Amino acid sequence: MITDNLKSIQSKMVGYTARLIAVSKQQPDNRIDESLDLGIRIFGENKVQEAQARWLQRREQCPDLELHLIGPLQTNKVKDACNLFDVIHTLDRKKLARKIHDFKPRMPCFIQVNTGNEPQKSGVTFEELNNFYQFCIDLGMNIVGLMCIPPVDDDPEIHFELLSRTARELGLKDISMGMSDDYELALHYGATYIRVGSGLFGKRPT
Ligand SMILES: *Cc1c(COP(=O)(O)O)cnc(C)c1O
């Protein structure tokens, strides 16, 4: 099943330079190992502890792994996150920026943008973005791009378009957007990383 899903996703990525992040959160171990056998090396996790349990050991057997944190990060977990992950997609506040910078000054980070201004969602608003971006740059951080999770009930198109345009305006090369249901649209709007979980591994067990 994963083989077929992967082929289908890869066929849609032809002609784009985007990379696929296999979102392995909550997936059973046998699916993870199957995907490793298929050659997948870029994985996304949303919880630090869950990711440690899954990847610390595997990382030793598989040195070319690339692990992306795509979930919210609490400041008390920054040290562990910096030790495990290669990229953080959810930078969204000054306190967190300072902490990450303390532990790993050049950690590649995406700034998460709350494109739909949703009160319950993390991310900076477009209004706050310039100021926050400048703050991170002044700290000496390695900001590689912007990331968003559009509101579930919205057409993602306007969010992708706006995130992409804003990244270009800031001169940022990477754009992390698009999940199982909308990654094709995200590719069309210039995503350089798509984050696909259930569309690759199958439904997450509840
Ligand atoms: C879970 C998750 C995904 C993957 O979602 P699917 O619908 O399973 O593809 C992508 N991005 C983030 C931030 C997630 O939390």
Side-chain angles (χ1 to χ4, degrees):
M1 180 184 68
I2 298 176
T3 317
D4 294 338
N5 292 342
L6 179 62
K7 277 192 191 137
S8 156
I9 296 166
Q10 283 172 336
S11 74
K12 286 162 186 155
M13 292 174 75
V14 171
Y16 297 103
T17 49
R19 304 172 81 206
L20 170 66
I21 299 176
V23 177
S24 46
K25 65 181 186 194
Q26 294 153 39
Q27 292 285 354
D29 276 343
N30 65 313
R31 294 186 189 168
I32 306 308
D33 291 326
E34 189 182 336
S35 69
L36 285 167
D37 288 342
L38 290 170
I40 294 178
R41 290 295 178 270
I42 309 175
F43 291 89
E45 291 281 350
N46 69 336
K47 295 213 169 86
V48 177
Q49 265 156 331
E50 203 184 302
Q52 283 178 319
R54 163 159 290 155
W55 292 110
L56 278 176
Q57 188 93 44
R58 285 187 175 84
R59 168 146 259 184
E60 285 174 23
Q61 292 144 7
C62 201
D64 56 342
L65 276 181
E66 195 179 300
L67 298 180
H68 293 243
L69 178 65
I70 60 168
L73 178 57
Q74 294 170 310
T75 43
N76 64 355
K77 304 229 172 90
V78 167
K79 189 180 178 191
D80 287 338
C82 284
N83 284 331
L84 180 66
F85 289 100
D86 301 289
V87 185
I88 292 176
H89 288 240
T90 48
L91 174 60
D92 66 350
R93 55 198 194 280
K94 292 180 177 176
K95 191 176 173 199
L96 183 60
R98 284 196 201 95
K99 253 297 168 30
I100 294 172
H101 185 258
D102 283 347
F103 285 112
K104 209 183 194 180
R106 297 304 289 167
M107 167 69 96
C109 291
F110 287 80
I111 295 176
Q112 182 174 356
V113 184
N114 184 353
T115 58
N117 284 321
E118 295 174 282
Q120 83 286 5
K121 203 169 263 176
S122 14
V124 300
T125 62
F126 277 116
E127 214 167 44
E128 298 160 334
L129 178 61
N130 279 336
N131 181 289
F132 182 64
Y133 172 69
Q134 199 53 51
F135 174 86
C136 296
I137 294 302
D138 291 346
L139 264 184
M141 294 191 81
N142 181 15
I143 306 298
V144 296
L146 302 180
M147 175 271 210
C148 79
I149 309 169
V152 275
D153 301 325
D154 258 16
D155 181 346
E157 190 158 6
I158 48 165
H159 301 272
F160 291 164
E161 200 273 328
L162 201 51
L163 192 77
S164 189
R165 181 145 41 95
T166 308
R168 243 178 289 127
E169 282 166 6
L170 289 172
L172 292 169
K173 70 172 169 41
D174 281 318
I175 303 165
S176 166
M177 61 186 190
M179 313 186 358
S180 293
D181 292 334
D182 54 22
Y183 70 84
E184 288 187 73
L185 191 65
L187 289 169
H188 175 76
Y189 279 102
T192 63
Y193 284 92
I194 56 173
R195 311 179 305 262
V196 182
S198 45
L200 175 65
F201 293 105
K203 259 183 79 133
R204 285 178 286 278
T206 42

